Amino acid sequence: MGSDNESQSGSEASPEDEIFGPKIKILVKNATSLKNVVKFGTIDPYAEVTFEGYTRKTKVQDDTKNPEWNEELEFPRANADMVKVQVKVFHEESLGKDKLLGYGTGTINGYTKSDWHDIEIKLIDSKQKPTEGVISLGVGGGGDKDQDGGEGGDEEMDGDEEEEEGTEVFISHLRFVFGLRYVRYL
């Protein structure tokens, strides 16, 4: 988990960080041994992740007590070396209020932007009793984590691709700031 913090302290901010502020990526990998709270069938779980006042949700995984999300959620963040992540896992109800399956908090001390850290959070139920459920997360802030575990994004882009990427970054920022789900290009 730890890394050479001295080599990271002198790194320069990227242009995107200067405009929109630094980002952190939380990879919601999977959950295991979730409690089945439905009488017929199997639960339809999704995860809700909260970081520094911002909340993001994963997609719903149908009919499973061991969902595999592998979804990367992006959050704005302050420049700090401690990361505290709150997670809630729900069963999506087709009618009525979704049911809480469990929740928990994970912390990383000595966080650096370029490293990826794994967290396993043991879930507790709404009565604050431990469950068998565990959710696995990855936390990072550097480049994209590719399938080999390294950082991607080293390819060269031509002018049109750079403009397109800048537009996508701006629209992504609008979604963060205003909580918009759909933003159309003008």
Side-chain angles (χ1 to χ4, degrees):
M1 275 194 196
S3 69
D4 183 11
N5 289 333
E6 290 178 16
S7 66
Q8 299 301 320
S9 62
S11 64
E12 294 181 33
S14 70
E16 180 181 339
D17 288 352
E18 291 176 15
I19 297 170
F20 303 120
K23 303 276 190 277
I24 188 167
K25 295 176 183 179
I26 299 177
L27 176 65
V28 183
K29 296 178 182 180
N30 59 42
T32 57
S33 304
L34 298 176
K35 184 177 180 181
N36 192 8
V37 295
V38 296
K39 292 181 182 179
F40 302 103
T42 310
I43 57 175
D44 302 323
Y46 66 90
E48 184 178 274
V49 179
T50 301
F51 176 74
E52 292 187 356
Y54 294 91
T55 300
R56 307 278 183 268
K57 293 180 184 180
T58 65
K59 294 177 182 165
V60 175
Q61 296 293 306
D62 294 327
D63 299 320
T64 181
K65 296 190 305 183
N66 300 299
E68 295 279 339
W69 290 290
N70 292 315
E71 285 187 48
E72 196 172 87
L73 308 174
E74 190 173 83
F75 296 84
R77 77 174 309 260
N79 288 319
D81 65 350
M82 185 183 85
V83 173
K84 184 175 180 180
V85 179
Q86 298 171 337
V87 179
K88 294 179 183 177
V89 180
F90 293 92
H91 160 66
E92 182 184 58
E93 286 285 343
S94 54
L95 298 172
K97 186 176 177 182
D98 293 352
K99 292 181 181 172
L100 179 67
L101 301 174
Y103 68 95
T105 302
T107 304
I108 296 174
N109 291 312
Y111 168 82
T112 59
K113 181 177 179 177
S114 62
D115 291 337
W116 279 87
H117 304 270
D118 292 325
I119 304 175
E120 282 198 349
I121 301 173
K122 293 184 179 185
L123 301 174
I124 58 177
D125 65 17
S126 59
K127 297 176 185 174
Q128 298 184 351
K129 296 190 183 208
T131 69
E132 292 182 22
V134 175
I135 188 164
S136 298
L137 308 173
V139 179
D144 293 332
K145 187 173 184 182
D146 63 23
Q147 292 178 354
D148 297 324
E151 291 186 11
D154 293 335
E155 303 87 21
E156 288 188 34
M157 290 186 255
D158 63 24
D160 291 339
E161 288 179 32
E162 287 177 11
E163 184 178 323
E164 209 171 279
E165 181 178 299
T167 303
E168 289 174 17
V169 168
F170 179 71
I171 288 174
S172 177
H173 180 67
L174 287 175
R175 289 180 183 135
F176 282 133
V177 173
F178 298 108
L180 301 173
R181 281 189 180 211
Y182 304 101
V183 176
R184 288 190 243 171
Y185 291 100
L186 299 177

